[in-house]
Amino acid sequence: MSGGAGIFFRPIGIVRSEHVLPDETPIQPIFARGCKGSVHIFPEFEEGLQDIEGFSHIYLICHLHQAEAARMLLRPFMQDSVRGVFATRSPRRPNPIGLSIVELVSREGNVLNINNTDLLDGTPLLDIKPYSSRFDCLETSRNGWMDEVDEVTASDRGRRGYRKP
């Protein structure tokens, strides 16, 4: 596809969480341990949740509705060096799409109760996919510049301004 043609997505639901300020929201689910939330699926999509309860974790694919304007070069949260946006997980992307792996605690009709959420309250949900260790658990040999960041720095910066209530 080239030129001015667009791609349009329709949200299937909305994420509810304790996170209301971007600067006080953990940057990844691993830094959001214990952060409870819920996913409210719109009624016309509820049938698609059939059998989701069998999975311990799910991918939430979201529109990062409060992301700042895209930048091709930026400083990632965990490091002070300038990096290309596609070598980061920054929300400041040409298409502000977020990918979050959360723990699925339970389902109550069209509501999924989740844990370890790093998404802002009111985030539009575009899709859900089940996490499967059979397909998704890969042993990596390279993690790029992220290998340069020690665990203490990653944890401190990853939690950003988040303080458990």
Side-chain angles (χ1 to χ4, degrees):
M1 177 181 279
S2 63
I7 300 172
F8 300 94
F9 291 97
R10 181 174 120 183
I12 63 166
I14 192 165
V15 177
R16 292 291 177 203
S17 78
E18 64 187 82
H19 307 303
V20 293
L21 299 173
D23 290 343
E24 295 179 5
T25 302
I27 64 168
Q28 294 293 316
I30 194 161
F31 303 122
R33 289 208 171 117
C35 295
K36 308 269 186 243
S38 57
V39 179
H40 297 253
I41 303 301
F42 298 145
E44 62 267 34
F45 302 110
E46 181 178 352
E47 186 177 39
L49 294 175
Q50 183 176 319
D51 302 317
I52 196 80
E53 305 91 337
F55 295 90
S56 66
H57 291 78
I58 54 175
Y59 288 101
L60 301 180
I61 301 160
C62 301
H63 169 64
L64 302 175
H65 65 300
Q66 291 192 31
E68 295 178 26
R71 293 183 51 196
M72 294 303 101
L73 296 175
L74 47 76
R75 285 183 175 78
F77 293 113
M78 294 193 322
Q79 200 179 52
D80 293 327
S81 300
V82 174
R83 306 288 180 183
V85 69
F86 301 123
T88 76
R89 293 189 172 193
S90 171
R92 299 185 72 172
R93 317 183 78 70
N95 294 304
I97 296 171
L99 176 66
S100 189
I101 301 174
V102 298
E103 179 185 7
L104 176 58
V105 177
S106 64
R107 174 186 171 200
E108 297 173 25
N110 68 320
V111 177
L112 303 176
N113 296 301
I114 58 174
N115 194 11
N116 306 332
T117 184
D118 62 335
L119 297 166
L120 287 170
D121 187 58
T123 298
L125 181 68
L126 301 177
D127 202 357
I128 300 170
K129 293 186 185 272
Y131 175 89
S132 171
S133 61
R134 176 175 285 164
F135 307 128
D136 301 327
C137 187
L138 303 173
E139 188 172 318
T140 63
S141 58
R142 300 187 319 264
N143 294 296
W145 62 267
M146 291 184 195
D147 283 337
E148 299 169 13
V149 181
D150 64 85
E151 288 302 316
V152 172
T153 300
S155 181
D156 287 347
R157 290 187 176 198
R159 292 181 64 79
R160 293 204 289 179
Y162 177 73
R163 301 291 175 253
K164 239 181 190 172

